[in-house]
Every structure is written in C-alpha cells, then in structure tokens.
Amino acid sequence: MTNGVVIVGTGVAGATAALALRTGGFDGDVTLIGRDPHLPYRRPTLSKDVLLKGTPVEKALLKPAAHWDDIGVTVRTGVTVTGGETATRTVELSDGASLTYGSLVLATGGIARELPGLPPAPRVKYLRDFADATGLRDELGRAGSVIVLGAGLIGSEVASAAAELGATVTVVEPAPLPLVRVVPPSIGRRLAGLQRDAGVDLLLGVRPGQITVEPDQVSVAVPGGGALVADLVVVAVGSSPDTGLAERLALRVDDGILVDEQYRTSAEGVHAVGDCARVPHPLEGGTYRAENWSAAQDQGAAVAQVLLGGTPAPTVPWGWSNQFGAVLQFAGWPAADDELEVDGAMDAASSDPFFARCHRDGSLTGAVAMGRPKELRAVRGELSERISAAVAR
Ligand SMILES: Cc1cc2nc3c(=O)[nH]c(=O)nc-3n(C[C@H](O)[C@H](O)[C@H](O)COP(=O)(O)OP(=O)(O)OC[C@H]3O[C@@H](n4cnc5c(N)ncnc54)[C@H](O)[C@@H]3O)c2cc1C
C-alpha cells in the first residue's frame, strides 16, 4: 500500500477524516487504527448518558460497524501504532504488522492528566474512554459519597451525574471559579450557582493536598489541617495532548503536535488534527489547541479536504457542556479576561438563558451562552467572516 492514507486514532477527528475522504471521492486505501478496543464512538456521551444510564457502546457508535465495510475503510481496533519512520513512510503496529503510507494522519487525541503517585484504582477514577466510564459508573452505583478533583468541563459533568445518581458530592477546585480557563468570571459564578443549587459542596480556591487511598475510603487533605473523606475520588484535572507517537516519529511538538494552516506537521506526508494538534490561530497569530468535539470533527473533515487537494478555510472551534440541567455552549476563543456584552441577567437564577459576546481589545473573540444556540451560531458565522476577510488581505 503506497498511495493509501493511514489514520492513527479512532476518535472523532480520525473517524471524520476517513469518512470525509470517502465522501470526497478518494478511492485509495484508507486504514483507521485505534488503541481503543471499540469502533469510533461519541466521547462526550461518556460523562452524560453512559454515567447516568449505562448506555452501551453500541448505542454510542459514530457509525454502525457495517458502514466502515460499506465505504471501504479498514478499521483496526485494539491496535497501537508504536513507531515508524517518516523517511520511508512506514508505521509499526503493536500486532507486529507494519504499513507503508502515502499520507499519515495523526489523530491521537488527548490523555487524562494523572496526579503524580495516584494511578487509577477501584477508588480512584479518571475519565477518558469507554472503559473508564463504565468502571466509574459501577463505582458510582456503590458509592454514597464522591470527591471530584477539578471543576473544569469533565469534573463539572461528573459532579452533575454523581449528584443526579444520589451521591453526596464535593468538588475541590484550586481556581476561584469553575471552568476558569474556558469562561469569563461572571459566567463561572453562574456555573458555581448551578452546582451549589444541586447540593454540591463546591470548594473553590482550595488546593487538594495528600490523597490517601484505604481499602474502604479515600481521604483528601485540605489546607488548614483537615481532610475530606469519601468512598471514591474522581480526578478531573485536565487533559494533555497525546504526542507520544509524534515524538517517536521525531515531529515538532510543543504542548501539541505543531501543524500549519493545512494541518501539515514538520515531516512531509504527515498531518495532525484534533485534540493532539496545535494549530495556527487564524485571527490573533500564535497557536492554540482546541479540546472539543466539534473542533476535532471539523479538523478531521478539513484534513481530508487537504488530502484531496483542497485548501480548507480555518475552522472556528465550538463546544458544549451538559451540567446540572443546563446546556452551556461556547464558540471561538473566549478567555477569562475578555470584556462581555451580555444579553440576559447574570444575577438571575443560574439556569436561566443568557448570551454573552466576548471581546478583547475591541474585537470579537467568541461567545458563551446557555440555552441560546441561534445567537451562538451567528457568532461562529461572524468569526468565520472575519477569518475570510483576514485571509483575503
Ligand atoms: C468524558 C468526556 C466528555 C466530553 N464531553 C464533551 C462535550 O460535551 N462537548 C465537547 O465539545 N467536547 C467534549 N469532550 C471533548 C471531546 O470529546 C474531544 O475534544 C474529542 O473527542 C477529541 O477527539 P480526537 O479525535 O481529537 O481525540 P480522541 O477522542 O482522544 O481520540 C484519539 C484516539 O487515538 C487513540 N490513540 C492515541 N495514540 C494512538 C496510537 N499510537 N495508536 C493507536 N491509537 C492511538 C486513542 O486511544 C484515542 O482513542 C469530552 C471529552 C471527554 C473525555
């Protein structure tokens, strides 16, 4: 196989690249290889329906198994790409095989950041893949009390699910507000309100200390000499780009695989997309790494367009989070210190709809909303137009 495309990672970025190659008319070999034992599935469902309802993987698949055969994409699950050589365009697989590629797409995603000295264990849970989610659901079914470390997107969603399942939930977050890296403070305060209204004991500005795992409980030391005690601790302290393979292939990596506007890495014939990739910021210069579903999906489609000879426009990231009965949506590149133009009362009951346009130095950077999807879509359109205008200049 010399002209084929090998895609590493069966997440949404890799899967979408494979699907878009076929819909775009590519008739060479397409091989999608993933360490995960399952066919591509919707990862966001893990912290929602899988935790709450035990949704089986079959119900979360991106496409039914037969679809991949129908479109002629070879999917190899439970197989890791262990290394290779970009000079000879070869990759090696954990099952002993090696493949030659015409183009290689790295869509290796992210990994849940682990706390040093705290590996996963029955009373210590992380959440990234289907096995993590079913393991966590089982433990939540037994646990009366849970400590969640981190009030980011995943920590907040886990806290929401655990509270809905009837557990006593304590969230410990060193930052002064939830989702501090994603949303400005006034919105963080609304999110804190949501958690507290649901009965969550939200400890903000608290850095957890020593974590002690005992056979029947877990304790987390907190400043002042006390300790929190629960049946289970869930560690949700962010994710890191999975750059292990890129490093073995000697690609340029700096908190993500560095790519240009066309998702090309530092090696010829190798592209990278999704959570693992650090892409150029189309408006502000510099680079950014998106960590949301739609961005990974859009980048997967865009890299297929590149491989088919096109020149896709830069994508505008957007994402959502379901927590405590509300749907939070964000688009673009909002940041904590942005100025806000708010429609809706920020001091209203915490699940009432609002829409906030975010500005920096007088320019639109993005938007954050609750229950206002139409306005959010409009801001994505506006940002796309600004990008087109910037590209045309
Ligand atoms: C629990 C959870 C809930 C989320 N909820 C939301 C949400 O509500 N909204 C939202 O916008 N985003 C959400 N996200 C984020 C979103 O799911 C991710 O941004 C998106 O899935 C990234 O897709 P990806 O394809 O880039 O990477 P991933 O989905 O991480 O897929 C990468 C795959 O590559 C595999 N891989 C890595 N290295 C190798 C190798 N060497 N060989 C073979 N395979 C390899 C990995 O095993 C993995 O399966 C959530 C994430 C999590 C974990």
Side-chain angles (χ1 to χ4, degrees), residues 8-14 33-36 43-44 46-48 79-81 107-110 127-128 153-154 157 242 245 273-275 291-294 296 318-321:
V8 187
T10 47
V12 67
I33 305 167
R35 184 190 292 143
D36 200 291
R43 199 172 295 282
L46 301 182
S47 47
K48 304 168 185 77
V79 176
T80 301
V81 178
T108 50
L127 179 56
R128 183 74 201 180
L153 187 143
I154 290 172
E157 290 195 358
D242 189 340
L245 175 61
V273 282
D275 278 15
E291 286 184 311
N292 52 60
W293 174 264
S294 312
W318 63 279
W320 75 95
S321 172

Side-chain angles (χ1 to χ4, degrees), residues 42-192:
R42 289 188 292 277
R43 199 172 295 282
T45 203
L46 301 182
S47 47
K48 304 168 185 77
D49 285 0
V50 177
L51 288 188
L52 284 169
K53 302 181 195 156
T55 300
V57 71
E58 295 73 26
K59 289 246 167 77
L61 293 181
L62 271 180
K63 294 284 172 193
H67 185 76
W68 300 103
D69 291 339
D70 292 347
I71 64 168
V73 169
T74 306
V75 188
R76 300 177 71 161
T77 53
V79 176
T80 301
V81 178
T82 51
E85 215 184 291
T86 57
T88 53
R89 297 200 179 207
T90 311
V91 286
E92 281 135 30
L93 314 189
S94 56
D95 61 6
S98 66
L99 291 176
T100 308
Y101 59 83
S103 295
L104 178 67
V105 177
L106 300 185
T108 50
I111 30 188
R113 206 168 284 149
E114 277 188 22
L115 287 180
L118 197 68
R123 289 186 187 277
V124 179
K125 294 292 175 192
Y126 292 80
L127 179 56
R128 183 74 201 180
D129 61 21
F130 214 90
D132 293 340
T134 49
L136 176 55
R137 177 175 162 81
D138 289 348
E139 290 300 329
L140 282 175
R142 282 188 278 271
S145 54
V146 183
I147 298 167
V148 180
L149 302 182
L153 187 143
I154 290 172
S156 300
E157 290 195 358
V158 168
S160 170
E164 199 172 327
L165 291 168
T168 302
V169 183
T170 307
V171 174
V172 185
E173 167 60 58
L177 287 167
L179 271 93
V180 81
R181 281 189 305 275
V182 187
V183 298
S186 51
I187 297 170
R189 279 192 284 278
R190 291 274 303 251
L191 298 173

Side-chain angles (χ1 to χ4, degrees), residues 315-385:
T315 57
V316 176
W318 63 279
W320 75 95
S321 172
N322 300 45
Q323 41 181 290
F324 303 101
V327 183
L328 179 78
Q329 292 182 303
F330 37 89
W333 300 269
D337 51 359
D338 282 355
E339 290 149 37
L340 294 191
E341 192 188 319
V342 179
D343 182 11
M346 293 313 276
D347 56 356
S350 44
S351 59
D352 284 2
F354 71 83
F355 173 68
R357 287 167 69 89
C358 305
H359 298 268
R360 204 172 309 141
D361 301 328
S363 296
L364 179 71
T365 56
V368 184
M370 220 179 250
R372 304 274 292 267
K374 237 167 62 194
E375 287 97 329
L376 198 95
R377 264 198 303 279
V379 164
R380 282 172 56 208
E382 244 179 273
L383 287 167
S384 295
E385 278 167 27

Side-chain angles (χ1 to χ4, degrees), residues 212-227:
T212 310
V213 185
E214 289 168 55
D216 57 348
Q217 65 175 37
V218 185
S219 67
V220 177
V222 286

